[in-house]
């Protein structure tokens, strides 16, 4: 049975008018360009929100007129709220901006319309990109942040638990957010530099295959090895060198990982 609604909330350290402007005018800058963050990632070149009632929420492709209309704006009150009716599922979404201390609480409510049956509740994953953009926007280039051409997909029985473990033990981070205990996001992306590590649920009962390994270059291999070892991860080989320094370890569900020393210029 499809859930009737989904709510997500963030707090950002700017006033409501600024938060509204960043959310709407800079959507193409804070929207993470991961391989599974668009309806058609192979063609997407931009995200766009046209201001005012009747404006469109767009996934833009190569040509100016080649777009996917994600929704149409139904309410527009700068600094307070806006809402849109989805064109890709049977939901309505309202985003509100309320003063909270010295900042703003941004709340997204995505709800199934009466008689509707299809809902893509993606905002609970997407909204966390906004405060990460605000934290770096003063020093960031005014161009969208692109992911590298390498992406690795790993399959886990519990991707959220795996993401927390990989974050705590291996120090991997995310442009989005590390899922909290008790949450089960529909997709999880971790990031190593500009590359994406995508965690998916494993749908069969076979153990992870050991015919592959994820390689990550780190700045301080000795410190990374010490932290991994102290965190209780299974070490498959200590630090050794054969052209490059590396060690091998295993995560909580048996995937093999190789960590290697990065070059000074890498």
């Amino acid at each position: 049975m499809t859930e009737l609604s989904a709510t997500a909330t963030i707090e950002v350290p700017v006033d409501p008018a600024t938060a509204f402007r960043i959310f709407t005018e800079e959507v193409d800058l804070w929207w993470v360009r991961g391989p599974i963050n668009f309806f058609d990632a192979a063609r997407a070149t931009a995200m766009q929100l046209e201001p005012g009632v009747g404006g469109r929420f767009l996934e833009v492709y190569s040509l100016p007129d080649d777009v996917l209309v994600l929704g149409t704006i139904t309410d527009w009150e700068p600094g307070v709220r806006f809402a849109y009716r989805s064109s890709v599922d049977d939901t309505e979404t309202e985003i509100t901006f309320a003063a909270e201390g010295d900042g703003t609480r941004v709340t997204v409510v995505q709800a199934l319309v009466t008689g509707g049956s299809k809902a893509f509740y993606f905002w609970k994953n997407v909204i966390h990109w906004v405060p990460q953009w605000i934290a770096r926007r003063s020093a960031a280039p005014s161009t969208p942040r692109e992911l590298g051409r390498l992406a690795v997909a790993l399959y886990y029985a519990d991707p959220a638990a795996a993401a927390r473990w990989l974050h705590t033990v291996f120090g991997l981070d995310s442009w989005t957010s590390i899922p909290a205990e008790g949450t089960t996001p529909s997709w999880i992306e971790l990031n190593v530099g500009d590359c994406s590590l995508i965690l998916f649920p494993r749908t069969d009962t076979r153990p992870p295959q050991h015919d592959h390994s994820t390689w990550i270059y780190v700045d301080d291999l000795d410190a990374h090895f010490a932290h991994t070892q102290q965190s209780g991860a299974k070490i498959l080989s200590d630090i050794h060198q054969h052209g490059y320094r590396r060690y091998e370890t295993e995560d909580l569900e048996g995937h093999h990982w190789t960590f290697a020393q990065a070059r000074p210029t890498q």
Side-chain angles (χ1 to χ4, degrees):
M1 179 178 178
T2 303
E3 295 181 7
L4 296 180
S5 66
T7 300
T9 302
I10 56 169
E11 292 187 12
V12 293
V14 295
D15 62 87
T18 302
F20 185 95
R21 187 172 67 254
I22 290 172
F23 198 105
T24 57
E25 295 179 12
E26 299 179 14
V27 61
D28 192 42
L29 296 175
W30 60 255
W31 195 276
V32 174
R33 294 171 177 250
I36 54 176
N37 297 347
F38 297 93
F39 281 87
D40 190 346
R43 296 197 300 136
T45 61
M47 297 294 292
Q48 184 179 347
L49 265 170
E50 297 174 341
V53 173
R56 299 173 301 167
F57 183 20
L58 301 173
E59 184 171 298
V60 182
Y61 302 132
S62 299
L63 302 175
D65 297 328
D66 188 8
V67 300
L68 171 64
V69 180
L70 302 177
T72 302
I73 305 296
T74 57
D75 187 15
W76 186 267
E77 190 175 351
V80 180
R81 69 170 53 83
F82 76 94
Y84 70 90
R85 173 66 167 88
S86 175
S87 303
V88 294
D89 64 7
D90 303 321
T91 64
E92 292 179 332
T93 300
E94 181 184 48
I95 298 95
T96 57
F97 302 78
E100 184 78 20
D102 295 330
T104 300
R105 178 180 292 273
V106 183
T107 302
V108 178
V109 179
Q110 192 176 4
L112 199 66
V113 300
T114 302
S117 60
K118 182 170 66 173
F120 303 130
Y121 291 129
F122 62 84
W123 276 107
K124 56 188 177 182
N125 297 315
V126 168
I127 194 173
H128 300 284
W129 301 343
V130 180
Q132 292 211 2
W133 163 245
I134 291 175
R136 69 178 194 274
R137 69 189 289 266
S138 61
S142 57
T143 54
R145 186 175 186 179
E146 290 285 359
L147 281 175
R149 290 176 177 265
L150 173 65
V152 176
L154 291 176
Y155 295 80
Y156 291 94
D158 188 341
R164 291 190 294 273
W165 193 94
L166 294 171
H167 173 67
T168 301
V169 179
F170 290 167
L172 303 188
D173 218 330
S174 172
W175 290 2
T176 58
S177 65
I178 303 298
E181 191 80 36
T183 61
T184 55
S186 54
W187 81 85
I188 301 169
E189 287 184 59
L190 302 181
N191 301 101
V192 182
D194 290 334
C195 294
S196 181
L197 177 68
I198 310 167
L199 309 186
F200 289 118
R202 185 153 30 91
T203 56
D204 58 41
T205 58
R206 294 175 298 173
Q209 297 301 305
H210 295 176
D211 60 354
H212 70 279
S213 176
T214 301
W215 284 62
I216 293 180
Y217 291 88
V218 297
D219 293 330
D220 187 336
L221 186 68
D222 297 280
H224 195 279
F225 175 78
H227 177 76
T228 298
Q229 194 172 43
Q230 291 166 7
S231 298
K234 181 179 179 180
I235 303 297
L236 300 176
S237 70
D238 291 340
I239 293 177
H240 55 287
Q241 183 158 350
H242 183 73
Y244 50 88
R245 295 181 72 232
R246 71 186 189 275
Y247 76 91
E248 286 80 29
T249 182
E250 190 174 272
D251 68 21
L252 77 172
E253 291 193 16
H255 295 102
H256 288 190
W257 294 71
T258 295
F259 290 94
Q261 177 65 52
R263 300 184 306 276
T265 56
Q266 191 170 5

